[in-house]
Amino acid sequence: MIRNDVAITPELVKEHGLKPDEYERFVKLIGRTPTITELGIVSAMWNEHCSYKSSRIHLRGLPTQAPWVIQGPGENAGVIDIGDGLACIFKMESHNHPSFIEPYQGATTGVGGILRDVFTMGARPIAALNFLRFGEPDHPKTRHLVSGVVAGIGGYGNSFGVPTVGGSVGFHPRYNGNILVNAMAVGLARTDEIFYAAATGVGNPIVYLGSKTGRDGIHGATMASAEFDDASEEKRPTVQVGDPFAEKLLLEACLELMKSGAVIAIQDMGAAGLTCSAVEMGAKGNLGVELDLDKVPTREEGMTAYEMMLSESQERMLMVLKPGMEKEAEAIFHKWGLDFAIIGKTTDTLRFVVKHHGEVMADLPIKELGDEAPLYDRPHLANTHQPTIAADTVKPPVSHAEALVKLVGSPDQCSKRWVWEQYDHLILGNTVQVPGGDAAVVRVEDGPKGLAMTTDVTPRYCEADPVEGGKQAVAEAWRNITAVGGLPLAITDNLNFGNPERPEVMGQFVGCLRGISEACRALDFPVVSGNVSLYNETNGQGILPTPAIGGVGVLDDVTVNASVAFKREEDALILIGETEGWLGQSIYLRDICGREEGAPPPVDLVAEKRNGDFVRQLIRSGQVDTVHDLSDGGLALALAEMTMASKIGAVVASAPEDLALHAFLFGEDQARYLLAVNPDEAADILYEAAEIGVPAMVVGVTGGDSLILPGGEAISIETLKAAHESWLPDYMAGKA
Amino acid sequence: MKARVTVTLKNGVLDPQGKAIEGALKSLGVDGIASVRQGKVFDIELGTADKSQAEASLKAACEKLLANTVIENYRVELT
Amino acid sequence: MKARVTVTLKNGVLDPQGKAIEGALKSLGVDGIASVRQGKVFDIELGTADKSQAEASLKAACEKLLANTVIENYRVELT
Amino acid sequence: MKSAVIVFPGSNRDGDVMRALRQAGSQVEKVWHAETELPKGTDLVVLPGGFSYGDYLRCGAIAGRATVMDAVRAHAARGGLVLGICNGFQILCESGLLPGILMRNANLKFICHRQFLRVERNDTAFTRAYAKGQAIDVCVAHGEGNYTADTETLKRLESEGLVAFRYSDTNGHVTPDANRNGSMNSIAGIYSDKLNVLGMMPHPENLIEDLVGGTDGRGLFKSLVSSFAKAA
Ligand SMILES: Nc1ncnc2c1ncn2[C@@H]1O[C@H](COP(=O)(O)OP(=O)(O)O)[C@@H](O)[C@H]1O
Ligand SMILES: [Mg+2]
């Protein structure tokens, strides 16, 4: 058993991840040597994950305001007003490291954690998304990781009962040692029934709800206990196991309790469990907190204060209840078969006091635990700019058709059906657009509103130019929402980077954030929640900078939306946006020419907004129902995807004369959309576009059973589909 | 040759299944059950009669697939 | 008192999971595995020290819940 | 018509089926699993989809033994209608109301996709609104939908016409490709001997509106409601 009077040695401090000066700072703050429990508490509060010590000063620059923002970053999740008294509550979060160690459980607990963040605020989750990056397909671990992560995401979401409607899957050697598993949840609540973490009122009961506490995920403790444990036991795994069943019960019980009016404040126990949740509730409400650990429901015997404070057991909540409502609350929780225990109270001392067996195990200033956490402005190096690659220096393919078939069947561009068929994407009966399109579209309750949502970033752009890459990530999310007819409202971000102590990595971080901020400002697309995951690095090799953006938008009438599938033969194909044929950092350059280089396409935010607003208005007015935004693989890939989504082919008769064909087809210029419109409408649309300076041109026509490229090369829909649908299942079956 | 592989959760790892079963037994009125932890067994027929070869195959099977050694222990018995 | 209950599929009942594991082992290059059938074990702690009482509880647990006796057999061992 | 939708801890398509029942014109009441009786005047009992008790142990096993199931059994014995969808089908098998069992899908994975079913007969309370042999477009979402039964049972189901739906292609042809979970005889749903209990893996309740994919699922709920309109 870990006693509380353990001598605090420099080794112990180091094992808790505190730098000597950070420890000194803590000792000065409390005016004495901490107890082991206190050391555990501060190590949890001051680690990168909880304190954001390397990122905080940079995050301050993000735009977080808009008239429709009800709650920006800082709460469990962001909240936006979507009209009619309804709020959309959403957030994205990473579970990268746990998923690499144990892909199934790592992914389940990631999904569980983000769902909890959303329903903690009083929202019922209505959709989930995920953003996944794995190492190169040939890496010996990749298949196992893909299989486990996907099964885990499905295993949790399916059982919990939320449709998983979208996401992104990609492969790159830079993720060989650090995969990315980012999960996003979107929920719905009434704007006047949102719950927050700040406690109010002195002497109010603090209640523990949900599953029991075990020794799950106590990282420091495993090391510490090797020294202090007399009983020699097997080395405990630090992996947490998710229990979606318990979470579903917790959801129902929490929502029922919230309706009863008994809840003053609520906070889920996520990272650093009881410590973080209790400190946050107190500190945000300017109150002290006193906990009696004898009351905490435990799953294992002989748990110490240290262990209880650091346990990351899942499916648990902390609440401050209205006094006098304890009985009612308890009845609700027992009905759902969950634990309920009053484990403490709010105080007016501004101290965080933890008692166990009648002894004080920790007594710390509650506000300073958060406010006085270290804050670093780490040195950052701006990235050297990569040269612009002129299209005429890039080799054209022997056959454009073959190049396209190769791309649609490549690991990154192939169909991810194998993944999303393992997710229940239809439950709740509101999924209007299933995975495979630009953004998922989900009806809000019984309509008429809908929500559009997507997760995006192009890491190779971010690596080549963090600022442009950051902008592009936001612009692409905005564009995907626009392409289905949604009005983009706000984003959540999940900033996955390498080791912030390396100036190049910090430079990527700062650059990406600058780009994100610029784009969010220009597009009126504020950040309302997010997550930072640093130290994604193995053997000195960091991941590609990957600030995943989760965007949400609203459709006032969800029946008026656009999708990528061609609807009719003989529709005119209109390309919106300027096409220069930008091949630097393109998928063509990487996957056909084997060159991952050059500057990424620049993002013109004014053009983005103008072009996107134009397209959205066409959708909303009912003039256009078939839209795809252009991103990886450019025009050719968009055409192929639109063809494959229907059973209708297309003919692109010619390319502009001043443009090499491969640059026209595969260039990744930004701010572009491809529309398929009734030929009678085409002239009007071109005229309207010209009026407001939106570049638009007819590039082809729908029809037939193949895609015919300029010059006459034809690819049958079947050929495209076979390539597109087969790579991932074959790979997972060990055949590719 | 035949073998039985038993895979059980390591100590301290949450077992949601066991927990649910415990609850169900209680509500079914089955008394006297204090706790339940669920594991798996694999009954395996081996193509070989060579004991050490069999053991090597079984070990490989456990490490590569049958057990998730991050959270599970396994035991092999030749029967 | 502790017990282990082992639940296995009856002979003749198809075991898709076992089949899939067989296949997976082959593709992982684990040789010499002719067939696999998967079952479950339950490690149970009993609240009683009385053997016959324990056995009665365990039998009730198996019949009422742990095994689907249409397709499964069970075995109880007190440990 | 009055329907009682039983809610177990872990049920999660209760809301979906309630929506479909209401749309078809049924009154609907939720019934908590710990109840001992059904609401007065219940015509139809529905066991909804989901993961009752986490589907831990075996799918539907724990729910199949819940208190309320005695009342459901009594209702069925009186000739009352019972519909079990997905997890509800699993519960019906585990509770002895239907024969056989749902095993892990052949590929061992959860699968969610659109799926055609062939309606095997249209002279039951559940399928009147369909044509015999019609292929209907619904969806599946399950990890354990692989219908398995012993040879005897299978023979009896077939010879007595108790197979309700089979996985088929768009034209109603029962093909191996259409049977993705590996069910014996491509069985997607079965009736009890008296045709008053139906268990099915697919989700007709998720295809009741054009906006979210189609309306082929409506027929089932319309059939149920109309059989009561006739009876009344
Ligand atoms: N992990 C996933 N979960 C669910 N859907 C996914 C996942 N990965 C990809 N998809 C779906 O596949 C489609 C194509 O993905 P992607 O190529 O990333 O789209 P885009 O280029 O429009 O951002 C999207 O609709 C996306 O929702
Ligand atoms: Mg897109």
Side-chain angles (χ1 to χ4, degrees), chain A residues 257 262 321-334 340 342:
Chain A
L257 189 54
L321 279 189
K322 284 202 184 121
M325 309 233 12
E326 295 91 336
K327 279 273 152 320
E328 188 171 337
E330 185 168 8
I332 291 174
F333 267 73
H334 284 168
F340 173 100
I342 298 172

Side-chain angles (χ1 to χ4, degrees), chain A residues 129-133 164-169 412-413 416 419-420 423 434-440 454-456 476 480 628-629 631-632 641:
Chain A
L129 298 94
N130 54 87
F131 179 93
L132 311 177
R133 285 294 178 272
T164 300
V165 295
S168 160
V169 183
D412 279 351
Q413 312 308 325
K416 302 302 184 307
V419 172
W420 53 258
Y423 305 151
V434 303
D438 281 330
T454 176
T455 59
D456 296 282
E476 186 169 351
N480 277 321
H628 197 0
D629 78 303
S631 54
D632 284 347
E641 287 172 351

Side-chain angles (χ1 to χ4, degrees), chain B residues 4 6 8 21 28 30-47 57 64-66, chain C residues 4 6 8 21 24 28 30-47 57 64 66:
Chain B
R4 168 164 287 182
T6 312
T8 50
I21 294 167
L28 282 172
V30 178
D31 291 329
I33 307 277
S35 83
V36 179
R37 282 177 81 75
Q38 182 172 342
K40 297 179 203 139
V41 288
F42 301 93
D43 288 321
I44 298 181
E45 296 215 27
L46 292 138
S57 294
K64 288 196 184 171
L65 185 68
L66 300 181
Chain C
R4 168 166 286 182
T6 311
T8 49
I21 292 169
L28 282 171
V30 178
D31 291 330
I33 307 277
S35 84
V36 180
R37 282 176 80 76
Q38 183 170 346
K40 300 180 191 127
V41 289
F42 303 93
D43 287 322
I44 298 184
E45 296 214 28
L46 292 138
S57 295
K64 287 195 182 172
L66 298 182

Side-chain angles (χ1 to χ4, degrees), chain C residues 14 17 20 64-66 71, chain D residues 58 65 101 103-104 108:
Chain C
L14 208 73
Q17 212 153 320
K64 287 195 182 172
L65 184 67
L66 298 182
I71 52 162
Chain D
R58 299 179 306 277
R65 289 152 181 83
I101 185 165
M103 308 273 278
R104 281 293 288 281
L108 300 191

